[in-house]
Coordinates of all heavy atoms in Angstrom, one line a residue:
M259 N 0.8 -1.2 0.0 CA 0.0 0.0 0.0 C 0.9 1.3 0.0 O 1.9 1.3 0.6 CB -0.9 0.0 1.2 CG -2.3 -0.5 0.9 SD -3.5 -0.5 2.2 CE -2.9 0.6 3.4
C260 N 0.4 2.3 -0.7 CA 1.1 3.5 -0.7 C 1.0 4.2 0.7 O 0.0 4.2 1.3 CB 0.5 4.5 -1.7 SG 1.1 6.2 -1.6
A261 N 2.2 4.6 1.2 CA 2.2 5.2 2.6 C 1.5 6.5 2.7 O 1.3 7.0 3.7 CB 3.7 5.3 3.0
R262 N 1.2 7.1 1.5 CA 0.6 8.5 1.5 C -0.9 8.4 1.2 O -1.7 9.0 2.0 CB 1.3 9.4 0.5 CG 2.8 9.5 0.9 CD 3.4 10.7 0.3 NE 4.8 10.8 0.7 CZ 5.6 11.7 0.3 NH1 5.2 12.7 -0.5 NH2 6.9 11.7 0.7
C263 N -1.2 7.9 0.1 CA -2.7 7.9 -0.3 C -3.4 6.6 0.0 O -4.6 6.5 0.0 CB -2.8 8.3 -1.7 SG -2.3 7.0 -2.9
G264 N -2.6 5.5 0.4 CA -3.2 4.3 0.8 C -3.7 3.4 -0.4 O -4.3 2.4 -0.1
C265 N -3.4 3.8 -1.6 CA -3.9 3.0 -2.7 C -3.0 1.7 -2.8 O -1.8 1.8 -2.4 CB -3.8 3.8 -4.0 SG -2.2 4.0 -4.6
P266 N -3.6 0.6 -3.2 CA -2.8 -0.6 -3.4 C -1.8 -0.5 -4.5 O -2.2 -0.1 -5.6 CB -3.8 -1.7 -3.6 CG -5.0 -1.0 -4.2 CD -4.9 0.4 -3.7
V267 N -0.5 -0.8 -4.3 CA 0.5 -0.7 -5.3 C 0.9 -2.1 -5.7 O 0.9 -3.0 -4.9 CB 1.7 0.2 -4.9 CG1 1.3 1.6 -4.7 CG2 2.3 -0.4 -3.7
Y268 N 1.4 -2.1 -6.9 CA 1.9 -3.4 -7.5 C 3.5 -3.4 -7.4 O 4.1 -2.5 -8.0 CB 1.5 -3.6 -8.9 CG 2.0 -4.9 -9.5 CD1 1.3 -6.1 -9.3 CD2 3.1 -4.9 -10.3 CE1 1.8 -7.2 -9.8 CE2 3.6 -6.0 -10.8 CZ 2.9 -7.2 -10.6 OH 3.4 -8.4 -11.1
V269 N 4.0 -4.4 -6.7 CA 5.5 -4.6 -6.7 C 5.8 -6.0 -7.3 O 5.3 -7.0 -6.7 CB 6.0 -4.4 -5.3 CG1 7.5 -4.6 -5.3 CG2 5.6 -3.1 -4.7
K270 N 6.5 -6.0 -8.3 CA 6.9 -7.3 -9.0 C 7.5 -8.3 -8.0 O 8.4 -7.9 -7.2 CB 7.8 -7.0 -10.1 CG 7.8 -8.1 -11.2 CD 8.5 -7.6 -12.4 CE 8.3 -8.5 -13.6 NZ 9.0 -9.7 -13.8
G271 N 6.9 -9.5 -8.0 CA 7.5 -10.5 -7.2 C 6.9 -10.6 -5.8 O 7.0 -11.6 -5.1
I272 N 6.2 -9.5 -5.4 CA 5.5 -9.5 -4.1 C 4.0 -9.5 -4.2 O 3.3 -10.2 -3.5 CB 6.0 -8.2 -3.3 CG1 7.5 -8.3 -3.1 CG2 5.2 -8.1 -2.0 CD1 8.1 -7.1 -2.4
S273 N 3.5 -8.6 -5.1 CA 2.1 -8.4 -5.2 C 1.4 -9.6 -5.9 O 2.0 -10.4 -6.6 CB 1.8 -7.1 -6.0 OG 2.4 -6.1 -5.3
D274 N 0.1 -9.7 -5.8 CA -0.7 -10.7 -6.4 C -0.6 -10.6 -8.0 O -1.0 -9.5 -8.5 CB -2.2 -10.4 -6.0 CG -3.1 -11.5 -6.5 OD1 -2.7 -12.4 -7.3 OD2 -4.3 -11.4 -6.1
E275 N -0.2 -11.6 -8.6 CA 0.0 -11.6 -10.1 C -1.3 -11.6 -10.8 O -1.4 -11.4 -12.0 CB 0.9 -12.8 -10.5 CG 2.3 -12.8 -10.0 CD 3.2 -11.7 -10.6 OE1 2.9 -11.3 -11.8 OE2 4.1 -11.2 -9.9
N276 N -2.4 -11.9 -10.1 CA -3.7 -11.9 -10.7 C -4.3 -10.5 -11.0 O -5.3 -10.4 -11.7 CB -4.7 -12.7 -9.9 CG -4.2 -14.2 -9.8 OD1 -3.8 -14.8 -10.8 ND2 -4.4 -14.8 -8.6
I277 N -3.7 -9.5 -10.4 CA -4.2 -8.2 -10.6 C -4.0 -7.8 -12.1 O -2.9 -8.0 -12.6 CB -3.5 -7.1 -9.8 CG1 -3.6 -7.4 -8.3 CG2 -3.9 -5.7 -10.1 CD1 -2.7 -6.6 -7.4
P278 N -5.1 -7.5 -12.8 CA -4.9 -7.2 -14.2 C -3.9 -6.0 -14.4 O -3.9 -5.1 -13.6 CB -6.3 -6.7 -14.7 CG -7.2 -6.9 -13.5 CD -6.4 -7.3 -12.3
K279 N -3.2 -6.1 -15.5 CA -2.1 -5.2 -15.8 C -2.6 -3.7 -15.7 O -1.9 -2.8 -15.2 CB -1.5 -5.4 -17.1 CG -0.3 -6.4 -17.1 CD 0.7 -6.1 -18.2 CE 2.0 -6.9 -18.1 NZ 1.8 -8.3 -18.5
E280 N -3.8 -3.4 -16.3 CA -4.2 -2.1 -16.3 C -4.6 -1.5 -15.0 O -4.8 -0.3 -14.8 CB -5.4 -1.9 -17.3 CG -6.6 -2.8 -17.0 CD -6.6 -4.2 -17.6 OE1 -5.5 -4.6 -18.0 OE2 -7.7 -4.7 -17.8
N281 N -4.8 -2.4 -14.0 CA -5.2 -2.0 -12.6 C -4.0 -1.9 -11.7 O -4.1 -1.5 -10.6 CB -6.2 -2.9 -12.0 CG -7.5 -2.9 -12.7 OD1 -7.8 -1.9 -13.5 ND2 -8.4 -3.8 -12.5
R282 N -2.8 -2.2 -12.2 CA -1.6 -2.2 -11.4 C -1.1 -0.7 -11.3 O -0.9 0.0 -12.3 CB -0.5 -3.1 -12.0 CG -0.9 -4.5 -12.0 CD 0.2 -5.3 -12.6 NE -0.2 -6.8 -12.7 CZ 0.5 -7.7 -13.3 NH1 1.6 -7.4 -13.9 NH2 0.0 -9.0 -13.3
I283 N -0.9 -0.3 -10.1 CA -0.2 1.0 -9.8 C 1.2 0.7 -9.3 O 1.3 0.0 -8.3 CB -1.1 1.8 -8.8 CG1 -2.5 2.0 -9.3 CG2 -0.4 3.1 -8.5 CD1 -3.4 2.5 -8.2
K284 N 2.1 1.3 -10.0 CA 3.5 1.0 -9.7 C 3.9 1.5 -8.3 O 3.6 2.7 -8.0 CB 4.4 1.5 -10.8 CG 5.8 0.9 -10.9 CD 6.4 1.3 -12.2 CE 7.7 0.6 -12.4 NZ 8.8 1.1 -11.6
G285 N 4.5 0.7 -7.5 CA 5.1 1.2 -6.3 C 6.5 1.6 -6.4 O 7.3 0.9 -7.1
I286 N 6.9 2.6 -5.7 CA 8.3 3.1 -5.8 C 8.8 3.4 -4.4 O 8.1 3.7 -3.5 CB 8.2 4.4 -6.6 CG1 8.1 4.1 -8.1 CG2 9.5 5.3 -6.3 CD1 8.3 5.3 -9.0
V287 N 10.1 3.1 -4.2 CA 10.7 3.4 -2.9 C 11.3 4.8 -3.0 O 12.2 5.1 -3.8 CB 11.8 2.4 -2.5 CG1 12.5 2.9 -1.3 CG2 11.2 1.0 -2.4
H288 N 10.7 5.7 -2.3 CA 11.2 7.1 -2.3 C 12.2 7.3 -1.2 O 12.0 6.9 -0.1 CB 10.0 8.1 -2.1 CG 10.4 9.5 -1.9 ND1 11.0 10.2 -2.8 CD2 10.2 10.3 -0.8 CE1 11.3 11.4 -2.3 NE2 10.8 11.5 -1.1
H289 N 13.2 8.1 -1.5 CA 14.2 8.5 -0.5 C 13.8 9.8 0.1 O 13.8 10.8 -0.6 CB 15.6 8.5 -1.0 CG 16.2 7.2 -1.4 ND1 15.9 6.6 -2.6 CD2 17.0 6.3 -0.7 CE1 16.5 5.4 -2.6 NE2 17.2 5.2 -1.5
K290 N 13.5 9.9 1.4 CA 13.0 11.1 2.0 C 14.1 12.2 1.8 O 13.8 13.3 1.6 CB 12.7 10.9 3.5 CG 11.4 10.0 3.6 CD 11.1 9.8 5.1 CE 10.0 8.8 5.3 NZ 9.9 8.4 6.7
Q291 N 15.3 11.8 2.1 CA 16.4 12.7 1.8 C 16.9 12.3 0.4 O 17.3 11.2 0.1 CB 17.6 12.5 2.8 CG 18.7 13.4 2.5 CD 19.8 13.3 3.6 OE1 19.6 12.8 4.7 NE2 21.0 13.9 3.3
Y292 N 16.6 13.2 -0.5 CA 16.9 13.0 -1.9 C 18.3 12.5 -2.1 O 19.3 13.0 -1.5 CB 16.6 14.2 -2.8 CG 15.2 14.6 -2.8 CD1 14.8 15.8 -3.4 CD2 14.2 13.8 -2.3 CE1 13.5 16.1 -3.5 CE2 12.8 14.2 -2.3 CZ 12.5 15.3 -2.9 OH 11.2 15.7 -3.0
L293 N 18.5 11.6 -3.1 CA 19.9 11.2 -3.4 C 20.5 12.2 -4.3 O 19.9 12.8 -5.2 CB 19.8 9.9 -4.2 CG 19.2 8.7 -3.4 CD1 19.3 7.4 -4.2 CD2 19.8 8.6 -2.0
N294 N 21.8 12.4 -4.1 CA 22.5 13.3 -5.0 C 23.9 12.8 -5.2 O 24.3 11.7 -4.6 CB 22.5 14.8 -4.4 CG 23.1 14.8 -3.0 OD1 24.1 14.1 -2.7 ND2 22.5 15.6 -2.1
N295 N 24.8 13.5 -5.9 CA 26.1 13.0 -6.1 C 26.9 12.8 -4.9 O 27.8 11.9 -4.8 CB 26.9 14.0 -7.0 CG 26.3 14.0 -8.4 OD1 25.7 13.0 -8.8 ND2 26.5 15.0 -9.2
D296 N 26.6 13.5 -3.8 CA 27.4 13.4 -2.6 C 27.0 12.2 -1.7 O 27.8 11.7 -1.0 CB 27.2 14.7 -1.7 CG 27.8 15.9 -2.4 OD1 28.8 15.7 -3.2 OD2 27.2 17.0 -2.3
N297 N 25.7 11.8 -1.8 CA 25.3 10.8 -0.8 C 24.9 9.4 -1.5 O 24.5 8.5 -0.9 CB 24.1 11.3 0.0 CG 22.9 11.5 -0.8 OD1 22.7 11.0 -1.9 ND2 22.0 12.3 -0.2
I298 N 25.1 9.4 -2.8 CA 24.6 8.2 -3.6 C 25.3 6.9 -3.1 O 24.7 5.8 -3.2 CB 24.7 8.4 -5.1 CG1 24.0 7.3 -5.9 CG2 26.2 8.6 -5.5 CD1 22.5 7.4 -6.0
Y299 N 26.5 7.0 -2.6 CA 27.2 5.8 -2.2 C 27.2 5.7 -0.6 O 27.9 4.8 -0.1 CB 28.7 5.8 -2.7 CG 28.7 5.8 -4.2 CD1 29.2 6.9 -4.9 CD2 28.2 4.7 -4.9 CE1 29.2 6.9 -6.3 CE2 28.3 4.7 -6.3 CZ 28.8 5.8 -7.0 OH 28.8 5.7 -8.3
D300 N 26.4 6.5 0.0 CA 26.3 6.5 1.5 C 25.2 5.6 1.9 O 24.0 5.9 1.7 CB 26.1 7.9 2.0 CG 26.1 8.0 3.5 OD1 26.0 6.9 4.2 OD2 26.2 9.1 4.1
E301 N 25.5 4.4 2.4 CA 24.5 3.4 2.7 C 23.6 3.8 3.9 O 22.5 3.4 4.0 CB 25.1 2.0 3.1 CG 25.7 1.4 1.8 CD 26.3 0.0 2.1 OE1 26.1 -0.5 3.3 OE2 26.9 -0.6 1.2
N302 N 24.1 4.7 4.7 CA 23.2 5.3 5.8 C 22.1 6.1 5.2 O 21.1 6.3 5.9 CB 24.1 6.2 6.7 CG 24.9 5.3 7.6 OD1 24.6 4.2 8.0 ND2 26.1 5.8 7.9
I303 N 22.2 6.5 4.0 CA 21.1 7.2 3.3 C 20.4 6.3 2.3 O 19.2 6.2 2.3 CB 21.7 8.5 2.7 CG1 22.1 9.4 3.8 CG2 20.6 9.1 1.8 CD1 22.8 10.7 3.3
T304 N 21.1 5.7 1.4 CA 20.5 4.9 0.4 C 19.7 3.7 0.9 O 18.7 3.3 0.4 CB 21.5 4.4 -0.7 OG1 22.5 3.6 0.0 CG2 22.2 5.6 -1.3
L305 N 20.3 3.0 2.0 CA 19.7 1.8 2.5 C 19.0 2.0 3.9 O 18.5 1.0 4.4 CB 20.7 0.7 2.5 CG 21.3 0.3 1.2 CD1 22.4 -0.7 1.4 CD2 20.3 -0.1 0.2
N306 N 19.0 3.2 4.4 CA 18.5 3.4 5.7 C 17.0 3.4 5.7 O 16.3 4.2 5.0 CB 19.0 4.8 6.2 CG 18.6 5.0 7.7 OD1 17.7 4.4 8.2 ND2 19.2 5.9 8.3
E307 N 16.4 2.4 6.4 CA 14.9 2.3 6.3 C 14.1 3.5 6.7 O 13.1 3.8 6.2 CB 14.4 1.1 7.1 CG 14.5 -0.2 6.3 CD 13.8 -1.4 7.0 OE1 12.6 -1.1 7.5 OE2 14.4 -2.4 7.1
S308 N 14.7 4.3 7.7 CA 14.0 5.5 8.1 C 14.1 6.6 7.0 O 13.3 7.5 7.1 CB 14.6 6.0 9.4 OG 15.9 6.4 9.2
N309 N 14.9 6.3 6.0 CA 14.9 7.3 4.9 C 14.1 6.9 3.7 O 14.0 7.5 2.7 CB 16.4 7.6 4.5 CG 16.5 8.7 3.5 OD1 15.9 9.8 3.7 ND2 17.4 8.6 2.5
L310 N 13.5 5.7 3.8 CA 12.8 5.1 2.7 C 11.3 5.2 3.0 O 10.8 5.0 4.1 CB 13.2 3.6 2.5 CG 14.7 3.4 2.3 CD1 14.9 1.9 2.1 CD2 15.2 4.1 1.1
E311 N 10.6 5.4 1.9 CA 9.1 5.5 2.0 C 8.5 4.8 0.8 O 8.9 5.1 -0.4 CB 8.7 6.9 2.0 CG 7.2 7.1 2.4 CD 6.9 8.6 2.4 OE1 7.6 9.5 1.8 OE2 5.8 8.9 3.0
G312 N 7.7 3.8 1.0 CA 7.1 3.0 -0.1 C 5.8 3.8 -0.6 O 4.8 3.8 0.2
I313 N 5.8 4.3 -1.7 CA 4.7 5.1 -2.2 C 4.3 4.8 -3.6 O 5.1 4.1 -4.3 CB 4.9 6.6 -2.0 CG1 6.1 7.1 -2.8 CG2 5.0 7.0 -0.6 CD1 6.4 8.6 -2.7
C314 N 3.2 5.2 -4.1 CA 2.7 4.9 -5.5 C 3.4 5.9 -6.4 O 3.9 6.9 -6.0 CB 1.2 4.9 -5.6 SG 0.5 6.6 -5.5
I315 N 3.3 5.6 -7.7 CA 4.0 6.4 -8.7 C 3.4 7.8 -8.7 O 4.1 8.8 -8.9 CB 4.1 5.8 -10.0 CG1 5.0 6.5 -11.0 CG2 2.7 5.6 -10.6 CD1 5.6 5.7 -12.1
D316 N 2.1 7.9 -8.5 CA 1.5 9.3 -8.5 C 2.0 10.1 -7.4 O 2.4 11.3 -7.6 CB 0.0 9.1 -8.4 CG -0.7 8.7 -9.7 OD1 0.0 8.8 -10.7 OD2 -1.8 8.3 -9.6
C317 N 2.0 9.6 -6.2 CA 2.5 10.3 -5.0 C 4.0 10.7 -5.2 O 4.5 11.7 -4.8 CB 2.3 9.6 -3.7 SG 0.6 9.5 -3.2
H318 N 4.7 9.7 -5.8 CA 6.1 10.0 -6.0 C 6.4 11.1 -7.0 O 7.2 12.0 -6.8 CB 6.8 8.7 -6.5 CG 8.3 8.8 -6.5 ND1 9.1 8.8 -7.6 CD2 9.2 8.9 -5.5 CE1 10.3 8.9 -7.3 NE2 10.4 8.9 -6.0
N319 N 5.6 11.1 -8.1 CA 5.7 12.2 -9.1 C 5.4 13.5 -8.4 O 6.0 14.5 -8.6 CB 4.8 12.0 -10.2 CG 5.3 10.9 -11.2 OD1 6.4 10.6 -11.1 ND2 4.4 10.4 -12.0
Q320 N 4.3 13.5 -7.6 CA 3.9 14.8 -6.9 C 5.0 15.3 -6.0 O 5.3 16.5 -6.0 CB 2.7 14.5 -6.1 CG 1.6 15.5 -6.4 CD 0.5 15.4 -5.3 OE1 0.6 14.7 -4.3 NE2 -0.6 16.1 -5.6
E321 N 5.6 14.4 -5.2 CA 6.7 14.7 -4.3 C 7.8 15.5 -5.0 O 8.2 16.5 -4.7 CB 7.2 13.5 -3.6 CG 8.5 13.6 -2.9 CD 8.4 14.3 -1.6 OE1 7.3 14.3 -1.0 OE2 9.4 14.9 -1.1
H322 N 8.3 14.8 -6.1 CA 9.4 15.4 -6.8 C 9.0 16.6 -7.6 O 9.8 17.6 -7.8 CB 10.1 14.3 -7.6 CG 10.9 13.4 -6.8 ND1 12.2 13.5 -6.6 CD2 10.5 12.3 -6.1 CE1 12.6 12.5 -5.8 NE2 11.6 11.8 -5.5
F323 N 7.8 16.5 -8.2 CA 7.4 17.6 -9.1 C 7.2 18.9 -8.2 O 7.7 20.0 -8.6 CB 6.1 17.2 -9.8 CG 5.7 18.2 -10.8 CD1 6.5 18.4 -12.0 CD2 4.5 18.9 -10.8 CE1 6.1 19.2 -13.0 CE2 4.1 19.8 -11.8 CZ 5.0 19.9 -12.9
K324 N 6.6 18.7 -7.1 CA 6.3 19.8 -6.2 C 7.6 20.5 -5.8 O 7.8 21.7 -5.8 CB 5.6 19.4 -5.0 CG 4.1 19.7 -5.0 CD 3.5 19.3 -3.6 CE 2.0 19.6 -3.6 NZ 1.4 19.1 -2.5
K325 N 8.6 19.7 -5.3 CA 9.7 20.3 -4.6 C 10.8 20.7 -5.6 O 11.6 21.5 -5.2 CB 10.2 19.3 -3.6 CG 9.3 19.1 -2.4 CD 9.9 18.4 -1.3 CE 9.0 18.4 -0.1 NZ 9.4 17.4 0.9
Q326 N 10.9 20.0 -6.7 CA 12.1 20.3 -7.6 C 11.7 21.0 -8.9 O 12.0 22.2 -9.1 CB 12.8 19.0 -7.9 CG 13.4 18.4 -6.6 CD 14.2 17.2 -6.9 OE1 13.8 16.3 -7.7 NE2 15.3 17.0 -6.2
M327 N 10.9 20.3 -9.7 CA 10.7 20.9 -11.0 C 9.9 22.2 -11.0 O 10.2 23.1 -11.7 CB 9.9 19.9 -11.9 CG 10.7 18.7 -12.2 SD 9.8 17.4 -13.0 CE 9.4 18.2 -14.6
A328 N 8.9 22.2 -10.1 CA 8.1 23.4 -10.0 C 8.9 24.6 -9.7 O 8.8 25.7 -10.3 CB 6.9 23.2 -9.0
I329 N 9.8 24.4 -8.7 CA 10.6 25.5 -8.3 C 11.5 26.0 -9.4 O 11.7 27.1 -9.7 CB 11.4 25.1 -7.0 CG1 10.4 25.0 -5.8 CG2 12.4 26.2 -6.7 CD1 11.0 24.2 -4.7
R330 N 12.1 25.0 -10.1 CA 13.0 25.2 -11.1 C 12.4 26.1 -12.2 O 13.0 26.9 -12.8 CB 13.5 23.9 -11.7 CG 14.7 24.1 -12.7 CD 15.1 22.7 -13.2 NE 15.4 21.8 -12.2 CZ 15.3 20.4 -12.3 NH1 14.8 19.9 -13.4 NH2 15.6 19.6 -11.3
N331 N 11.1 25.8 -12.5 CA 10.4 26.5 -13.6 C 9.7 27.7 -13.2 O 8.9 28.2 -14.0 CB 9.5 25.5 -14.3 CG 10.2 24.3 -15.0 OD1 11.3 24.5 -15.5 ND2 9.6 23.2 -15.0
G332 N 9.9 28.1 -12.0 CA 9.2 29.3 -11.5 C 7.7 29.1 -11.3 O 6.9 30.0 -11.3
L333 N 7.4 27.8 -11.1 CA 6.0 27.5 -10.8 C 5.8 27.0 -9.4 O 6.7 26.6 -8.7 CB 5.5 26.4 -11.8 CG 5.6 26.7 -13.3 CD1 5.4 25.4 -14.1 CD2 4.6 27.8 -13.7
T334 N 4.6 27.0 -8.9 CA 4.3 26.5 -7.6 C 2.9 25.9 -7.6 O 2.2 25.9 -8.6 CB 4.5 27.6 -6.5 OG1 4.3 27.0 -5.3 CG2 3.4 28.7 -6.7
F335 N 2.4 25.4 -6.5 CA 1.1 24.8 -6.4 C 0.2 25.6 -5.5 O 0.7 26.1 -4.4 CB 1.2 23.4 -5.9 CG 1.8 22.4 -6.8 CD1 3.2 22.2 -6.9 CD2 1.0 21.7 -7.7 CE1 3.7 21.3 -7.9 CE2 1.5 20.8 -8.6 CZ 2.9 20.6 -8.7
D336 N -1.0 25.8 -5.9 CA -2.0 26.4 -4.9 C -2.5 25.4 -3.9 O -2.1 24.2 -4.0 CB -3.1 27.1 -5.7 CG -4.0 26.2 -6.4 OD1 -3.9 24.9 -6.1 OD2 -4.7 26.6 -7.3
S337 N -3.3 25.8 -3.0 CA -3.8 24.9 -2.0 C -4.5 23.7 -2.5 O -4.6 22.7 -1.8 CB -4.7 25.7 -1.0 OG -5.8 26.2 -1.7
K338 N -5.0 23.8 -3.7 CA -5.7 22.6 -4.3 C -4.8 21.7 -5.1 O -5.3 20.7 -5.7 CB -6.9 23.1 -5.2 CG -8.0 23.7 -4.4 CD -9.1 24.2 -5.3 CE -10.2 24.9 -4.5 NZ -11.0 25.8 -5.3
G339 N -3.6 22.1 -5.2 CA -2.6 21.3 -6.0 C -2.5 21.6 -7.4 O -1.9 20.9 -8.2
N340 N -3.1 22.8 -7.8 CA -3.0 23.2 -9.2 C -1.7 23.9 -9.4 O -1.3 24.6 -8.5 CB -4.2 24.1 -9.6 CG -5.5 23.4 -9.5 OD1 -5.7 22.3 -10.0 ND2 -6.5 24.0 -8.8
L341 N -1.2 23.7 -10.6 CA 0.1 24.4 -10.9 C -0.2 25.8 -11.3 O -1.0 26.1 -12.2 CB 0.7 23.6 -12.1 CG 2.2 23.7 -12.4 CD1 3.0 23.3 -11.1 CD2 2.6 22.8 -13.6
I342 N 0.5 26.7 -10.6 CA 0.4 28.2 -10.9 C 1.8 28.8 -11.0 O 2.7 28.3 -10.5 CB -0.5 28.9 -9.8 CG1 0.1 28.6 -8.4 CG2 -1.9 28.4 -9.9 CD1 -0.5 29.4 -7.3
K343 N 1.8 30.0 -11.6 CA 3.0 30.7 -11.6 C 3.2 31.5 -10.3 O 2.3 31.9 -9.7 CB 3.0 31.8 -12.8 CG 3.3 31.2 -14.1 CD 3.5 32.2 -15.2 CE 3.8 31.5 -16.5 NZ 3.8 32.5 -17.6
K344 N 4.5 31.6 -9.9 CA 4.8 32.2 -8.6 C 4.6 33.7 -8.7 O 4.9 34.3 -9.8 CB 6.2 31.9 -8.2 CG 6.3 30.6 -7.4 CD 7.6 30.5 -6.6 CE 8.7 30.0 -7.3 NZ 9.8 29.5 -6.5
Ligands
ZN196 ZN1 0.0 7.2 -3.3
ZN197 ZN1 11.7 9.8 -4.7

């Protein structure tokens, strides 16, 4: 299950293979502390369970889109999650 929205996610080798492909929501392990060139080989960060969060691809996109791309492009989100210019 996604740790944020609670939707059931599909993880290869773990999840029920009977779930039809079109209903599968990909699960992703998100690093709460984002990985970068400095910490990518630091196991205290890459493999530390307290730094990992199992979420669905939608929540993952939102997380990264909100914090990185939006800021980079001079965009931000309003309270409803709509993309707006800053
Ligand atoms: Zn989710
Ligand atoms: Zn992530």
